[in-house]
Amino acid sequence: MADLAALNRRFGLSGHVAFREIPGGLTVMEVTNAHGTATIALQGGHVMHWQPKSEVAPVLWLSRAASFAPGKSIRGGVPVCWPWFGPHAANPKLPAHGFARTVPWEVRATRVLDDNATEITLALVETAQTRAMWPHQAKLSISITVGARLRIVLGTENSGKEDIVMGEALHAYFQIGDIADIRIGGLEGCDYLDKVDGGNERRRQHGPVIFSAETDRIYLNTQAECVITDPRLQRRIHVAKSGSRSTVVWNPWTAKADRMGDFGPDGWRGMVCVESANAAENAVTIRHGSRHELVVEYWTEQYAA
Ligand code: TA6
C-alpha cells in the first residue's frame, strides 16, 4: 500500500492532482483541471478515466465489473501492453500483453503546463520478476497530459548493449453509444490479421470498419489517424498516433465478453478498442543506447447525425 500522505506531499498539485486509494487496494491519481477530469492508477501507469469538460459521457470506457486488485489487469481505460503484444511468442505461461499493466509503477513528476493542462510522468519499477520474464535492460516510462486532448507518450529506453525487439500497445477502450451503430474511418485499404477464433487470416479493409460480430483485427503498416463516428452519443472520437505502425480494433461481442467475465451485463455493447500498437510483423527494434516513443492523442468533436 502506498504512503498517500507522502505522495500527496511530494507530487500532489492543489486543484490538479490528488492521490487516493480505491476499493480493492490500488492507489490512483485524481486529475481535475479546467479541461476536464482523469483518473490514473499507479499500477500499470494506467489511465482509467478521461472526460473533457465538453463531454457528458467519459471518452474512455471502464467496465462496471472491472476488478481493481493488485496484479490484476483493469478492464477498460488505456492498459499498457509491453514488452510484447498478445500471447508471448515462446512461453504461453507468461501473461498475455506483457507484464507492464499489472506491476507497480512510480510517479516521477507532476506539473501544470502553460495552458493549464496537467502533465504526469510515471515509470515502471523493474524487479527480479520482471527481469526474469524479459532479460533486457530497458526502461519504460509514460507521460500523460490531461488537457483539451489526452496525450500519452510511452517511452522505451534501451540502456543495454544489444538491440531489442519488442511489441507494445496503448490498448484504449473507448465509450460509445452502441457498437452496432458506430463506424471507424482511417483504415480503408489496410491489410489486417483477422484474429477471431485464434485465426491469423490476412485480409484487406474495404470502407469504414463496422461491427456485427466479434471483431479482433491487427491492421498492419498504418500510421493513420482513426475516427470513431458515434451517432448515438453524437460525437466523433479522434485517435491520432506516431511511433506506431499497427492499429488493433477489437470488440468481443457477447459470447467472448461473457467468457471473460469482467465486462458486466452487455458492457461489450458500449465499448470499442482502437489500440495504437506495434504488433505482429510491426514489432519494433530499438537500437542499443536509443529511445523509442509511441505517442497517441485523443480528442472529440460534436457530430450531429
Ligand atoms: O487487443 C485485442 C486482444 O488481443 C483480444 O484478443 C483480447 O484478448 C483483448 O486483447 C483483451 O485481452 P486481455 O488480456 O486484456 O483480456
Side-chain angles (χ1 to χ4, degrees), residues 14 17 96-97 102 115 124 137 182 189 210 263 267 289:
S14 67
V17 174
H97 291 325
T102 52
D115 64 355
L124 180 145
Q137 287 178 286
I182 65 159
I210 54 175
F263 272 82

Side-chain angles (χ1 to χ4, degrees), residues 184-187 222 224-228 237-240 247 249 274:
I184 300 174
L187 298 167
T222 172
E225 176 184 323
C226 289
V227 182
I228 303 167
I237 300 173
H238 292 258
V239 182
T247 294
V249 174
V274 178

